[in-house]
Amino acid sequence: MNINLTALDATIFGIYILGVIGLGIYASRKGEQTKRDYFLAGDKLPWWMIGGSIIASNISSHHLVGAMGVAYSRGFIAVAMEWGAIFMGFNALLWIFLPFYIRNGFYTVPEFLHKRFGGAARTTYAVLILLTYILVEISAVLYLGALSLHSLLDIPVVTSVVVLAVLTGVYTIIGGLRAVIWTEMLQLGVLVLGGIILTVATVDAAGGVDAVIATSKDWELILPASDPDFPWTMYLGGSLCISVFYCATNQFIVQRVLAAKNEWHARMGVIFADYLKFLIPLIITVPALVAPKLFPNLEKPDLLFPTLVQNLLPSGLVGLVMAGLIAAVMSHLSGAINSCTTILTMDIYLPYFSKKASEKQAVRFGRISGAIIIVIGILCTGLFLAHSDKPVFLYLLNAYGLFTPGIAAMFLLGILWKRTTHAGALTAGIMTIPLSLIIEFIFPQMPFLNRTGIVFWTCMAACILVSLVTKPKPEAELEGLIWNKASLSLPPAEREQQQGLRNPFYWWLLITAIVLFFYIKYA
């Protein structure tokens, strides 16, 4: 399957690519060469940029391609992991973790673990998260984006991988988080516009809104415990664990919150992300729900996106939707690369190799490490070249389940229970991967979300038991690190910002009620 772009499509596509690179380089020249500016955009992000960039970096080819493939083969349940983040992950960030990140002035999420426990916990997280970013975020996104380009334009997969990585790496390495955020806002607009165009075209070809309504009789967000991929038991641990990790303890997401102007902007940014997190999965899922009526026997569900583009879009719109796909890939890659460089610099290079490094030296190391991460990500993309007929999106969730249970346990117990010790946190972090692999080996047919839940609760229990028999930190050293009711309120100096419709709570309540309605109606 491949199509030839018309001159109009190629022009639109080319203008977009040049525009992103130009905007990224321009943004990079606006900042100063300091750690705070390079890694956190100078702490100047308003709420709309925070929420927009969170979702722009989150939504990528594994959603446009992977999640669309899941929706084609499995139906409405494809939105469950996305909407579940509104209930679990973003709520954990908003109401539990966010105040501690902002009020302590952290650069990175591992810094919280260092202050709460010690250096070993910080390093354990850094290693686990870097493995996750390289093997899941960067490699898989490159692969799925390249797969679509190959399907549509017959560009070799390896060539597409290298070109996507290099183009994104140029402005990300030069400009740091400021360049990432500026380009992500452009990419979010192109992504949403391209997604809406493809949705409208698909729904129209399938018979209009009536075709979508006809599929609603099969919409389900709670599936039987026997389901091989999404059993209802996933909500007991697996979904909770992955969602809390991804949205609340993940440098990739949290870095945007850390760069907020103040705590009010940080809170409103997360709530704005909730609204986008509700809307964009619908844009991705709806065309996949009606697509079986048009293309009932696709060999691979992951080919649905290029199939729709090839068969349903006229000249001009093909280029725009392809720009939307590349926008998703580049925004996700830039965020992952920037997060890797921040952790490598702030949590490994400065603490262990060069404590007295100057601001300029720290920024230079961040740029060098970014180039290395890109090369490693390209090499690791080869792991995805041989995959089964199952949608790749499910393999990505499976991979998260290998790395994340211990991380979620470390953070949740660390912030909610003052008795948690460094030894307990390390136990949870270290046993995550071995225990996951053991369970997968013994019970290969177990749904991965059930396995993740078992590992998560086992890590929680192990952390508690070890903490009870080891010496905790003195309470004086835990001030400002343990959750309490005061964490729910803004600092006194910022409370005047939340009067009337500016109160984050009202906007949070509205989106929560909307998502809850869908879960109740389609349980």
Side-chain angles (χ1 to χ4, degrees):
M1 176 196 304
N2 66 84
I3 58 176
N4 294 316
L5 289 181
T6 65
L8 179 59
D9 292 319
T11 300
I12 292 173
F13 190 67
I15 289 174
Y16 165 75
I17 295 295
L18 293 175
V20 169
I21 295 174
L23 180 61
I25 293 175
Y26 172 77
S28 69
R29 301 177 63 182
K30 301 287 287 183
E32 302 172 8
Q33 295 301 304
T34 65
K35 297 195 299 291
R36 205 81 196 170
D37 194 85
Y38 185 77
F39 295 115
L40 292 181
D43 297 315
K44 296 177 181 177
L45 296 188
W47 63 270
W48 55 273
M49 291 189 81
I50 294 169
S53 65
I54 284 175
I55 299 304
S57 61
N58 173 223
I59 302 296
S60 187
S61 55
H62 61 282
H63 290 86
L64 280 179
V65 178
M68 191 175 281
V70 171
Y72 175 84
S73 60
R74 297 304 316 273
F76 196 63
I77 189 64
V79 305
M81 292 301 293
E82 301 304 310
W83 286 0
I86 298 174
F87 277 138
M88 295 177 283
F90 282 128
N91 272 340
L93 174 60
L94 182 64
W95 302 116
I96 299 177
F97 291 98
L98 184 151
F100 301 94
Y101 295 149
I102 297 293
R103 295 171 194 177
N104 283 284
F106 294 140
Y107 280 90
T108 67
V109 171
E111 283 185 274
F112 170 80
L113 290 179
H114 187 217
K115 191 168 183 178
R116 175 63 179 87
F117 298 119
R122 178 185 195 173
T123 304
T124 300
Y125 173 96
V127 171
L128 287 174
I129 203 68
L130 287 171
L131 286 172
T132 304
Y133 288 159
I134 294 171
L135 295 176
V136 180
E137 301 289 359
I138 296 175
S139 302
V141 168
L142 277 174
Y143 167 74
L144 285 172
L147 181 67
S148 291
L149 288 178
H150 174 69
S151 300
L152 285 169
L153 307 177
D154 203 27
I155 301 173
V157 173
V158 174
T159 301
S160 297
V161 165
V162 173
V163 171
L164 286 172
V166 171
L167 288 178
T168 307
V170 168
Y171 66 82
T172 303
I173 292 171
I174 293 174
L177 186 62
R178 175 177 280 101
V180 170
I181 297 293
W182 282 40
T183 54
E184 280 177 345
M185 298 311 295
L186 170 63
Q187 290 158 339
L188 178 64
V190 174
L191 168 62
V192 171
L193 180 59
I196 290 174
I197 289 171
L198 187 60
T199 298
V200 171
T202 306
V203 170
D204 182 63
V209 176
D210 289 341
V212 179
I213 295 174
T215 68
S216 65
K217 66 181 185 298
D218 299 319
W219 290 7
E220 292 182 285
L221 289 172
I222 308 288
L223 298 182
S226 58
D227 189 87
D229 298 313
F230 301 103
W232 69 264
T233 48
M234 71 183 184
Y235 294 106
L236 299 179
S239 292
L240 172 66
C241 163
I242 293 175
S243 185
V244 168
F245 156 75
Y246 194 88
C247 299
T249 70
N250 179 4
Q251 180 72 21
F252 186 62
I253 297 296
V254 174
Q255 191 160 343
R256 283 115 181 99
V257 176
L258 298 177
K261 284 183 177 181
N262 56 38
E263 195 169 319
W264 181 86
H265 280 279
R267 289 179 186 268
M268 283 300 294
V270 174
I271 294 169
F272 180 45
D274 279 342
Y275 283 85
L276 294 175
K277 192 72 166 172
F278 172 76
L279 173 65
I280 293 179
L282 282 178
I283 295 174
I284 294 171
T285 301
V286 167
L289 295 177
V290 299
K293 187 175 179 180
L294 303 172
F295 309 101
N297 298 305
L298 280 184
E299 180 182 355
K300 295 182 185 297
D302 287 332
L303 293 178
L304 176 61
F305 177 84
T307 299
L308 295 178
V309 172
Q310 179 195 31
N311 289 280
L312 300 181
L313 296 183
S315 174
L317 293 184
V318 171
L320 184 59
V321 172
M322 288 302 296
L325 171 66
I326 300 306
V329 174
M330 294 177 75
S331 62
H332 198 91
L333 283 178
S334 63
I337 293 166
N338 185 255
S339 295
C340 284
T341 60
T342 304
I343 289 176
L344 283 168
T345 304
M346 303 306 300
D347 297 302
I348 296 178
Y349 172 67
L350 293 179
Y352 297 111
F353 296 99
S354 188
K355 293 182 179 180
K356 297 181 180 180
S358 66
E359 300 273 337
K360 188 174 181 180
Q361 288 172 323
V363 171
R364 183 170 64 242
F365 177 84
R367 287 174 172 153
I368 293 171
S369 63
I372 294 173
I373 287 294
I374 291 171
V375 172
I376 295 174
I378 291 172
L379 296 176
C380 290
T381 304
L383 296 173
F384 292 91
L385 293 178
H387 63 88
S388 75
D389 293 333
K390 259 192 172 182
V392 172
F393 189 63
L394 296 181
Y395 288 101
L396 304 188
L397 293 175
N398 191 2
Y400 276 123
L402 291 176
F403 294 102
T404 59
I407 293 175
M410 292 166 71
F411 275 88
L412 284 171
L413 287 174
I415 204 168
L416 295 175
W417 188 40
K418 65 183 179 182
R419 187 65 179 76
T420 309
T421 66
H422 194 185
L426 278 178
T427 301
I430 292 172
M431 68 187 297
T432 294
I433 296 177
L435 184 57
S436 297
L437 294 176
I438 289 171
I439 294 177
E440 187 170 30
F441 178 77
I442 297 175
F443 304 104
Q445 300 304 314
M446 178 184 289
F448 66 88
L449 285 168
N450 283 352
R451 182 205 72 214
T452 301
I454 291 171
V455 175
F456 170 64
W457 290 115
T458 303
C459 287
M460 293 279 280
C463 181
I464 291 171
L465 290 174
V466 173
S467 293
L468 289 173
V469 298
T470 51
K471 185 178 179 180
K473 269 190 171 185
E475 287 198 32
E477 296 182 21
L478 298 178
E479 188 173 350
L481 294 173
I482 304 298
W483 189 90
N484 54 49
K485 289 184 179 180
S487 307
L488 297 174
S489 302
L490 286 170
E494 297 179 34
R495 287 176 189 169
E496 62 182 27
Q497 288 186 267
Q498 64 175 11
Q499 301 299 318
L501 291 177
R502 291 173 61 85
N503 191 325
F505 177 78
Y506 298 141
W507 294 102
W508 168 81
L509 187 63
L510 176 60
I511 187 61
T512 301
I514 292 172
V515 178
L516 185 60
F517 166 79
F518 274 88
Y519 267 88
I520 293 173
K521 183 173 178 63
Y522 298 108

